[in-house]
């Protein structure tokens, strides 16, 4: 299997015979020319900008210095490819509008810009000297030991040779012993320089090319898309309710009135009986359609808010319901979600609980809408066994809310919905 980075290659056989040790050495050594350019640029820019800041001329220079991390980070992400083939995406967002002003405003508001500036300052003062030191210690030191016999034959006239400028080899056996020691250190140096490169690359990726950035953006976009889908779903519900109310319902009302008039004008007999049956069926169809419209999106919810809609739903419940709701007008999606949570809860109370009485409490406090639906029934409700409450929990979670259920065996049952939101109107 092909290694994607030095870290994977270090754990596999054949590492020393691959190109990864040389890539690791090149990664550490290539930071020196970049640091030699960046260090004086940062020092001079900070000195000139700070000196001229008192007369405001240096402020643009300081702003450019703050953005200096962008090109340095771009070069570092490119260098990262020497030891890590995984993508290193830029953490910066595209400006919402074209133009230099929009670009600068976006960059200064991003956390990634300041992370890259911090990385640039640390790189210019600490990292590249450490990279160069690690390269020299892990590769040049064994190479210097291996070269001891050559130095004795050329520079030392066969009598002596400096060993890493620390001591002097004064005989050929000593020189060859040092060379053998250097040869033995070379494989170890390959692993050491690989490990140093791994640590250095992981630090760079963490600071200026985090993989989590792309994942975080995807999660954010996913949440936004879910909210857009909820809004579109609510808009479609309102459209269907409006079309049924203004279209099909009005036609059935007209049909019912026509049948009623025809029934009055028809003489007694089989025709009158058929008209009476048709009139009754039309009335039943009208009642069912009104109930369907009420279930899709009640008009009272759109006109008067979730408090009035919940009170209306409680009046239609077969179980007596005590309602205590004091709410401002809230966003449409929040009101719709809360209303259908209460309706589903009251429907479950009527079908399964055997309760004699239920209670609905709704309030808005600390930026959160809270609805509680309780009953004195037999309890034992389980949201995992019913798709209705699970669907409502999913719907509430899209709005960053949560749905909790407490229903011990023997009762009582309490369903609680919490949805963070901001009111659109204050209570009167």
């Amino acid at each position: 299997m092909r290694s994607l980075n030095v870290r994977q290659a270090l754990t596999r056989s054949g590492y020393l015979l691959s190109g990864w040790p040389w890539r690791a050495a090149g990664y550490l050594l290539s930071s020196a020319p970049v640091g030699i350019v960046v260090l004086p640029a940062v020092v001079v820019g900070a000195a000139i900008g700070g000196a001229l800041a008192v007369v405001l001329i240096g402020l643009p220079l300081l702003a450019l210095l703050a953005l200096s991390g962008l090109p340095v980070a771009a070069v570092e992400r490119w260098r990262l490819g020497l030891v890590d083939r995984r993508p290193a995406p830029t953490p910066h967002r595209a400006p919402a509008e074209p133009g230099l002003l929009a670009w600068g405003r976006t960059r200064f508001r991003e956390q990634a810009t300041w992370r890259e500036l911090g990385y640039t300052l640390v790189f210019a003062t600490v990292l590249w000297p450490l990279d160069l030191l690690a390269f020299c210690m892990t590769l040049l030191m064994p190479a210097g030991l291996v070269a001891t016999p050559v130095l004795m034959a050329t520079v030392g006239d066969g009598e002596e040779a400096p060993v890493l400028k620390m001591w002097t080899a004064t005989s050929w056996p000593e020189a060859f012993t040092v060379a053998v020691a250097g040869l033995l250190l070379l494989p170890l140096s390959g692993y050491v320089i690989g490990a140093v490169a791994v640590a250095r690359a992981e630090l760079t990726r963490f600071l200026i090319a985090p993989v989590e950035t792309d994942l975080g953006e995807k999660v954010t976009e996913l949440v936004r898309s879910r909210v857009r889908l909820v809004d579109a779903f609510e808009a479609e519900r309102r459209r269907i309710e409006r079309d049924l109310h203004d279209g099909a319902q009005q036609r059935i009302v007209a049909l019912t009135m026509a049948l009623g008039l025809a029934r009055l004008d028809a003489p007694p007999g089989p025709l009158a009986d058929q008209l009476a049956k048709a009139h009754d069926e039309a009335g039943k169809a009208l009642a069912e359609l009104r109930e369907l419209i009420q279930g899709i999106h009640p008009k009272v919810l759109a006109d008067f808010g979730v408090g009035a809609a919940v009170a209306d739903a409680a009046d239609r419940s077969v179980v007596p319901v005590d309602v205590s709701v004091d709410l401002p007008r809230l966003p449409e999606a929040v009101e719709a979600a809360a209303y259908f949570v209460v309706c589903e809860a009251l429907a479950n109370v009527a079908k399964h609980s055997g309760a004699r009485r239920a209670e609905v409490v709704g309030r808005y406090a600390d930026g959160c809408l809270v609805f509680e639906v309780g009953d004195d029934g037999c309890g034992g409700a389980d949201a995992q066994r019913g798709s209705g409450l699970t669907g409502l929990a999913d719907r509430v979670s899209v709005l960053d809310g949560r749905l909790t259920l407490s229903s011990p065996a023997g009762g009582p049952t309490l369903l609680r919905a919490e949805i963070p939101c901001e009111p659109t109107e204050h209570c009167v």
Side-chain angles (χ1 to χ4, degrees):
M1 184 181 296
R2 184 184 182 188
S3 299
L4 293 177
N5 49 45
V6 176
R7 183 174 58 182
Q8 292 181 358
L10 280 170
T11 61
R12 295 173 181 172
S13 59
Y15 165 74
L16 293 176
L17 300 179
S18 68
W20 287 111
W22 301 104
R23 294 168 70 96
Y27 176 68
L28 295 179
L29 183 60
S30 63
S31 67
V34 179
I36 291 172
V37 174
V38 172
L39 178 58
V42 169
V43 172
V44 173
I48 296 178
L52 297 179
V54 293
V55 291
L56 302 182
I57 301 177
L59 295 181
L61 292 177
L62 293 178
L64 289 176
L65 182 63
L67 296 175
S68 64
L70 273 67
V72 175
V75 172
E76 286 297 282
R77 282 190 288 269
W78 176 81
R79 284 201 320 115
L80 198 60
L82 290 173
V83 292
D84 194 343
R85 291 195 177 105
R86 293 177 299 171
T90 175
H92 297 288
R93 303 190 309 269
E97 302 174 359
L100 183 60
L101 183 60
W103 180 87
R105 187 165 53 246
T106 302
R107 292 295 170 263
F108 277 109
R109 291 176 179 176
E110 287 180 323
Q111 184 182 8
T113 300
W114 304 105
R115 287 167 64 98
E116 291 177 352
L117 176 61
Y119 174 84
T120 299
L121 297 178
V122 175
F123 172 78
T125 56
V126 177
L127 292 181
W128 77 264
L130 289 180
D131 292 345
L132 187 59
L133 178 63
F135 175 83
C136 294
M137 293 295 292
T138 53
L139 284 185
L140 295 187
M141 184 175 69
L145 295 178
V146 172
T148 302
V150 178
L151 293 176
M152 178 170 285
T154 56
V155 179
D157 295 329
E159 296 180 357
E160 62 179 19
V163 181
L164 301 178
K165 296 184 178 181
M166 296 181 182
W167 73 89
T168 302
T170 57
S171 65
W172 284 105
E174 186 178 359
F176 281 111
T177 301
V178 171
V180 171
L183 289 174
L184 295 177
L185 284 177
L186 278 176
L188 179 62
S189 299
Y191 281 98
V192 172
I193 201 168
V196 173
V198 167
R200 180 70 171 79
E202 290 299 325
L203 176 64
T204 300
R205 183 175 288 277
F206 173 76
L207 292 177
I208 63 174
V211 178
E212 296 82 8
T213 299
D214 187 44
L215 180 59
E217 291 178 354
K218 289 181 179 179
V219 171
T220 301
E221 181 57 30
L222 178 61
V223 172
R224 290 174 179 171
S225 65
R226 290 177 65 189
V227 173
R228 289 194 296 268
L229 285 175
V230 170
D231 293 339
F233 178 67
E234 289 302 326
E236 186 65 15
R237 289 174 69 103
R238 290 192 296 271
R239 184 192 66 79
I240 295 173
E241 181 270 335
R242 185 172 58 252
D243 291 346
L244 290 175
H245 183 275
D246 298 338
Q249 179 177 258
Q250 299 305 318
R251 289 182 179 275
I252 295 180
V253 169
L255 174 62
T256 304
M257 294 178 63
L259 290 173
L261 292 174
R263 179 181 178 184
L264 292 175
D265 294 339
L271 178 60
D273 294 340
Q274 293 298 324
L275 286 174
K277 291 181 180 179
H279 186 244
D280 292 340
E281 290 297 327
K284 294 178 181 178
L286 180 59
E288 290 180 359
L289 181 60
R290 284 174 175 168
E291 186 176 351
L292 175 63
I293 294 173
Q294 183 77 13
I296 292 176
H297 194 87
K299 189 172 180 60
V300 65
L301 177 63
D303 293 344
F304 301 103
V306 66
V310 166
D312 181 65
D315 290 340
R316 291 183 282 107
S317 174
V318 297
V319 177
V321 180
D322 298 325
V323 179
S324 175
V325 177
D326 182 18
L327 295 172
R329 290 306 302 267
L330 301 167
E332 294 180 353
V334 174
E335 289 191 334
Y339 171 76
F340 287 110
V341 165
V342 173
C343 288
E344 180 71 20
L346 292 179
N348 288 338
V349 170
K351 292 179 182 178
H352 309 296
S353 71
R356 296 188 301 270
R357 199 161 196 88
E359 182 182 17
V360 177
V361 177
R363 63 184 181 274
Y364 180 82
D366 299 327
C368 187
L369 168 66
V370 179
F371 261 105
E372 294 179 344
V373 182
D375 66 72
D376 57 359
C378 61
D382 186 0
Q384 301 299 324
R385 296 201 302 262
S387 60
L389 289 179
T390 302
L392 291 176
D394 292 340
R395 183 170 183 167
V396 169
S397 68
V398 171
L399 301 171
D400 291 334
R402 63 175 181 171
L403 195 70
T404 57
L405 176 65
S406 173
S407 183
T413 296
L414 179 64
L415 180 71
R416 179 184 176 92
E418 301 177 13
I419 306 176
C421 58
E422 293 294 333
T424 56
E425 295 180 11
H426 294 287
C427 294
V428 180

